[in-house]
């Protein structure tokens, strides 16, 4: 440990002081923050298409494997897809659409793949997506790695942000 409290050779992801901090693929640029903050309201649409290479969290007896569904969260609001039984590579035919009404402070979408169980559901992993990266009014297809609770796996989705101009 140095004088500044930094552990030699440790990255922020494994340092106990930083382990709870969410990470993003990139920070927003100034013009992206201004564009996001000038929008009073908007509509975020997310089409969950598929998940790939999910971890099995069920017993495995007689072919029993995870029963995944996806939960989308934006600033405390959440929506979920239907459950697809016994499938580690589920596909939501035609995409399962989740909609969120946005306020000016909403900046991140979290998608979590969850295993549906009778007693207690458990996470198969999650990913966070910064809304400032979206071009307004266009569908963007994404395939993101799942972290925090899963051992690999990916979620595939399309996302669109339609902003309403401030009055």
């Amino acid at each position: 440990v140095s004088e500044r409290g930094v552990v030699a050779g440790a990255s922020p992801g494994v340092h106990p002081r930083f382990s709870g901090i969410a990470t993003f693929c990139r920070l927003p640029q100034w013009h992206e923050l201004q564009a996001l903050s000038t929008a009073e309201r908007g509509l975020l649409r997310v089409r969950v298409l598929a998940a790939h290479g999910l971890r099995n969290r069920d017993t495995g007896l007689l072919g029993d494997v995870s029963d995944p569904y996806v939960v989308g969260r934006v600033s405390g609001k959440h929506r979920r897809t239907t459950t697809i039984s016994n499938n580690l590579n589920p596909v939501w035919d035609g995409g399962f659409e989740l909609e969120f009404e946005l306020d000016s402070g909403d900046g991140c979408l979290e998608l979590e793949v969850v295993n549906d169980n009778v007693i207690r559901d458990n996470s198969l992993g999650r990913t966070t997506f910064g809304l400032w990266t979206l071009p307004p009014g266009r569908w963007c297809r994404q395939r993101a790695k799942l972290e925090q609770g899963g051992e690999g796996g990916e979620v595939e989705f399309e996302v669109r942000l339609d902003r309403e101009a401030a009055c």
Side-chain angles (χ1 to χ4, degrees), residues 94-162:
F96 193 98
E97 195 162 306
L98 312 173
E99 287 189 357
F100 298 92
E101 288 187 19
L102 299 178
D103 293 321
S104 60
D106 297 334
C108 290
L109 165 69
E110 179 185 80
L111 293 176
E112 180 176 16
V113 182
V114 181
N115 180 31
D116 196 353
N117 287 310
V118 175
I119 297 173
R120 183 172 181 238
D121 296 354
N122 45 17
S123 179
L124 298 175
R126 70 182 66 159
T127 189
T128 304
F129 184 78
L131 301 182
W132 59 82
T133 63
L134 292 174
R138 279 195 0 215
W139 284 101
C140 296
R141 192 175 189 126
Q142 302 287 321
R143 186 166 169 162
K145 290 186 185 275
L146 297 172
E147 299 175 4
Q148 302 175 8
E151 290 180 3
E154 297 176 322
V155 62
E156 188 174 353
F157 60 99
E158 294 177 330
V159 61
R160 178 184 175 125
L161 175 61
D162 292 312

